[in-house]
Amino acid sequence: MKVLHIPCLDDNYSYMIIDETTKEAAVVDPVEPHKVLRVAQENEVDLKFVLTTHHHWDHAGGNDKIKQLVPGIKIYGGSVDNVRGCTDKVENGDRISLGVDISILSLHTPAHTKGHISYYVTDKEGEDPAVFTGDTLFIAGCGKFFEGTAEQMYQSLCVTLGSLPKPTLVYCGHEYTVKNLQFALTVEPDNAKIAQKLAWAERQRRVGLPTIPSTIQEELESNPFMRVDLPEVQDKVGCKSPVEAMREIRQRKDNWQG
């Protein structure tokens, strides 16, 4: 399995997932279809379907166009998210296969939108797992709770995504990492993992490289929103429960002027 980053708009990422045995491919959130098709041609792959994480235009806005450009392409999207151009609705636990080797599991991860789906992708041996988290989980951050609650985001991040294998690669929808880590340091000033990752992310961005992917393990070490179960993090923000801490940290992030 191969994953290619496709930078789009100002700070979005689309991703191409390629089954190297068959040269069949899927694309996550192809907001700029012409860019996506150029990458498909360069890599000589056959684009089979689209995986849409959620309905916001900067993720689903290219779906109608890609249907025109690639007749017969399937567009997967969350069953309760009203995704533009959707041909096949998915629910939590639905599986999609790509080529001969790749299995894709749909995970319902609401809060940013009510029907947000993250896609957990493994190859034939269950090796090299990756998860495409849209705007639910960012590197060192999470999406705003536009259509959901702190309880839902806790469930999405700390239960659903947090229980994936630790080496799972995390591919998120935006390049927000530097700002997210700067904020994370305001929550946990003494967390060396955050400081180290921030220095690395700043170096990456200086030379125009992405900070993605991360791993679930790294997020559990440096993402304050995935650390709300820890009593020391709850203490830092004056809270007594994980959900309360989730709500408080999100509120602080919304008001943060960094």
Side-chain angles (χ1 to χ4, degrees), residues 67-92:
K67 280 166 87 173
Q68 289 170 13
L69 297 170
V70 186
I73 195 168
K74 287 184 168 181
I75 312 274
Y76 290 95
S79 62
V80 292
D81 221 41
N82 197 22
V83 165
R84 182 182 302 185
C86 186
T87 62
D88 292 71
K89 293 183 174 181
V90 291
E91 311 262 358
N92 188 60

Side-chain angles (χ1 to χ4, degrees), residues 118-191:
S118 296
Y119 296 96
Y120 177 65
V121 183
T122 49
D123 66 14
K124 60 180 179 296
E125 307 300 331
E127 289 168 7
D128 303 322
V131 66
F132 296 83
T133 58
D135 288 2
T136 293
L137 170 60
F138 294 126
I139 311 309
C142 71
K144 292 186 177 186
F145 309 167
F146 286 133
E147 298 178 17
T149 62
E151 284 83 358
Q152 285 177 313
M153 190 57 92
Y154 174 74
Q155 188 74 26
S156 293
L157 291 184
C158 301
V159 180
T160 304
L161 296 173
S163 62
L164 295 176
K166 301 285 192 295
T168 302
L169 296 172
V170 175
Y171 292 92
C172 62
H174 292 268
E175 183 59 73
Y176 291 163
T177 307
V178 169
K179 286 279 188 211
N180 285 346
L181 287 162
Q182 287 170 346
F183 171 76
L185 272 181
T186 70
V187 179
E188 291 188 271
D190 305 324
N191 184 327

Side-chain angles (χ1 to χ4, degrees), residues 24-45:
E24 290 186 355
V27 63
V28 180
D29 293 346
V31 64
E32 294 193 78
H34 286 100
K35 281 188 182 176
V36 168
L37 293 187
R38 193 163 62 240
V39 172
Q41 283 159 359
E42 285 165 2
N43 289 272
E44 299 176 332
V45 297

Side-chain angles (χ1 to χ4, degrees), residues 221-240:
E221 291 170 348
S222 58
N223 185 331
F225 298 98
M226 287 192 81
R227 292 170 58 76
V228 294
D229 279 315
L230 299 171
E232 63 265 33
V233 172
Q234 293 172 24
D235 287 348
K236 287 261 196 300
V237 293
C239 293
K240 294 279 187 284

Side-chain angles (χ1 to χ4, degrees), residues 190-206:
D190 305 324
N191 184 327
K193 289 280 200 296
I194 296 173
Q196 287 161 9
K197 187 150 185 181
L198 175 57
W200 170 83
E202 287 172 335
R203 286 196 301 274
Q204 289 290 100
R205 296 310 294 152
R206 269 201 298 276

